[in-house]
Amino acid sequence: MYSVLDIIPDGPLLSPVQAKQLDDEFFLARPLPYFSARIASLLKAQKNPSAPDPDDFQEFYGALGLPSTSQILDYEVGDRQLQVSVDALALRHHAAEALIRFLHAVTVAKQGPGDAPSTWVAIADGPPTLFDVAKQLREVTNSDEHAFWHAFIKTGVNNTAEVREAFATACGWVDRAIQLLTDDELTINAAHNKVKHGLAISARNDVRIDILRGNPPEKDGTIPLSSFQNGNSIPLFDRPMLSYLARPHGKPRQGLEITSLQVDLPIVLAETRMIAVIYAACFHVAALAHFGVADAIAPYPVLHKGPTPEQLLGHSLQGYRATVTTPPDGKTPPRPSGLFFPGVFQSMVIDFENITQAVVVDG
């Protein structure tokens, strides 16, 4: 049995033999189990965040020349919760980019003149920026209403109302994946870049921001716990929060902004699952077209009629954006600070200069 290591150079152009060898290898992947395993590992880590038993990693310690009793992997429960939150955001982004770049490769990509077609090469040689990938994909799917259908629905599946509902749901999740990768208002793609390029982020799980409906703190510097209960306050940030600095894409150039994303782990991972199922379906369709038989490839997944992105996200707070520096041209106004909900921006400025401190007490 050959491997990709057996490929022999045959000039500057990709030959049909080489293209077949590359895609023979590529389409043996199992994308849905891969993402499922990562989702499960994060959910398991959230449920059991305590430090592991050192005896479980004897080979690791041995590689470092240390006894397992050295306990160099100790961490607090809060550290684990933050790691899981950051990794969940990265995983969702990974699934979204995998789907969009794959769809671009099978519906849009044009390889160099004279090169034999290869899906793997089309992904590897795709546009470097996600804005270009998304723009080109949009142009094709807008001009050909059947392009995504043929990429997503395998041959032989009847065009029933149930299948059309699953297809409509999938279209919504493709739109959500593109939004995650290219939205320039709440710059989630920048968050992922700051995670992978040097971990230039701040991850916190000790911050809570509420809008109080009732009275302000008492003169003695206390505020009753009841002010935050029974609908007396509107929680904004009450889950792990990831903050990062970025300069938004586009013109005119804006200044530096700080954005804080709220990480609702079950929702983020549910989004990841929905996107990964669509990716797995498209992957199966292309793999089947390549091999002609389904014997060696991952099976076509069970399609979901829901939830749609709107149903899953509801009215949950996504994040907050604030200005750090004004635009460099000296005349363009900075973008307004405010809160992001699905499809909605609410301008709001948090006055951090006039802080009032209070101690929460029973009552």
Side-chain angles (χ1 to χ4, degrees):
M1 183 176 182
Y2 73 86
S3 75
V4 289
L5 299 179
D6 298 329
I7 294 179
I8 300 172
D10 191 24
L13 299 178
L14 189 70
S15 72
V17 171
Q18 291 172 319
K20 182 179 184 305
Q21 287 178 301
L22 290 172
D23 282 358
D24 282 353
E25 179 83 12
F26 180 69
F27 282 122
L28 292 179
R30 293 167 52 84
L32 189 55
Y34 166 78
F35 282 107
S36 296
R38 291 185 65 186
I39 292 170
S41 68
L42 292 175
L43 290 171
K44 184 177 180 180
Q46 183 202 34
K47 187 174 182 179
N48 182 23
S50 57
D53 184 344
D55 289 337
D56 293 339
F57 305 114
Q58 290 187 7
E59 293 183 357
F60 167 77
Y61 286 107
L64 292 172
L66 298 172
S68 61
T69 54
S70 60
Q71 296 184 331
I72 62 171
L73 293 181
D74 280 357
Y75 52 81
E76 301 294 332
V77 169
D79 298 322
R80 176 63 124 180
Q81 292 172 338
L82 291 176
Q83 170 258 309
V84 167
S85 297
V86 172
D87 285 358
L89 282 176
L91 180 59
R92 182 182 64 180
H93 196 92
H94 185 186
E97 184 167 355
L99 170 61
I100 297 310
R101 286 196 177 277
F102 187 85
L103 282 174
H104 181 276
V106 298
T107 62
V108 180
K110 300 293 188 293
Q111 293 175 221
D115 280 326
S118 162
T119 300
W120 193 0
V121 172
I123 296 172
D125 283 347
T129 73
L130 289 167
F131 287 94
D132 288 339
V133 173
K135 179 176 181 291
Q136 294 172 18
L137 180 60
R138 285 278 195 218
E139 289 172 352
V140 167
T141 54
N142 288 341
S143 63
D144 181 0
E145 60 181 319
H146 302 296
F148 179 51
W149 175 277
H150 293 309
F152 176 65
I153 302 296
K154 72 175 182 178
T155 303
V157 173
N158 293 326
N159 187 358
T160 64
E162 194 171 69
V163 170
R164 289 194 295 273
E165 187 176 356
F167 176 73
T169 296
C171 289
W173 281 107
V174 171
D175 289 341
R176 173 60 174 163
I178 291 175
Q179 180 192 33
L180 289 169
L181 300 174
T182 63
D183 182 18
D184 208 34
E185 293 297 318
L186 184 63
T187 53
I188 300 175
N189 184 57
H192 180 255
N193 288 335
K194 303 308 178 184
V195 169
K196 69 180 181 179
H197 297 309
L199 205 61
I201 60 167
S202 168
R204 301 277 298 274
N205 62 357
D206 59 349
V207 175
R208 175 166 174 154
I209 300 176
D210 289 59
I211 296 177
L212 294 181
R213 298 177 186 269
N215 297 324
E218 303 289 345
K219 291 182 179 180
D220 63 358
T222 64
I223 186 168
L225 182 60
S226 59
S227 296
F228 300 91
Q229 298 174 332
N230 303 319
N232 291 325
S233 73
I234 303 173
L236 294 179
F237 284 93
D238 59 356
R239 289 168 175 77
M241 182 172 69
L242 187 152
S243 300
Y244 55 94
L245 298 170
R247 301 179 190 272
H249 181 269
K251 295 180 179 179
R253 293 288 294 168
Q254 287 288 328
L256 196 64
E257 297 175 345
I258 185 165
T259 303
S260 295
L261 303 179
Q262 180 159 241
V263 186
D264 191 337
L265 187 75
I267 299 301
V268 170
L269 293 180
E271 287 188 272
T272 306
R273 168 69 187 185
M274 294 300 295
I275 293 170
V277 168
I278 299 164
Y279 173 42
C282 297
F283 193 92
H284 175 94
V285 170
L288 184 59
H290 173 74
F291 285 115
V293 294
D295 297 343
I297 62 177
Y300 192 71
V302 176
L303 302 182
H304 300 300
K305 294 185 292 182
T308 65
E310 294 76 17
Q311 291 169 338
L312 183 60
L313 297 174
H315 302 291
S316 60
L317 175 67
Q318 303 295 292
Y320 175 79
R321 181 187 74 203
T323 298
V324 176
T325 64
T326 56
D329 63 12
K331 58 183 180 181
T332 299
R335 304 199 298 182
S337 299
L339 301 168
F340 287 87
F341 301 88
V344 176
F345 171 74
Q346 177 61 56
S347 61
M348 186 180 82
V349 177
I350 300 177
D351 184 3
F352 289 104
E353 292 185 359
N354 297 304
I355 293 175
T356 298
Q357 295 186 347
V359 176
V360 179
V361 297
D362 289 334

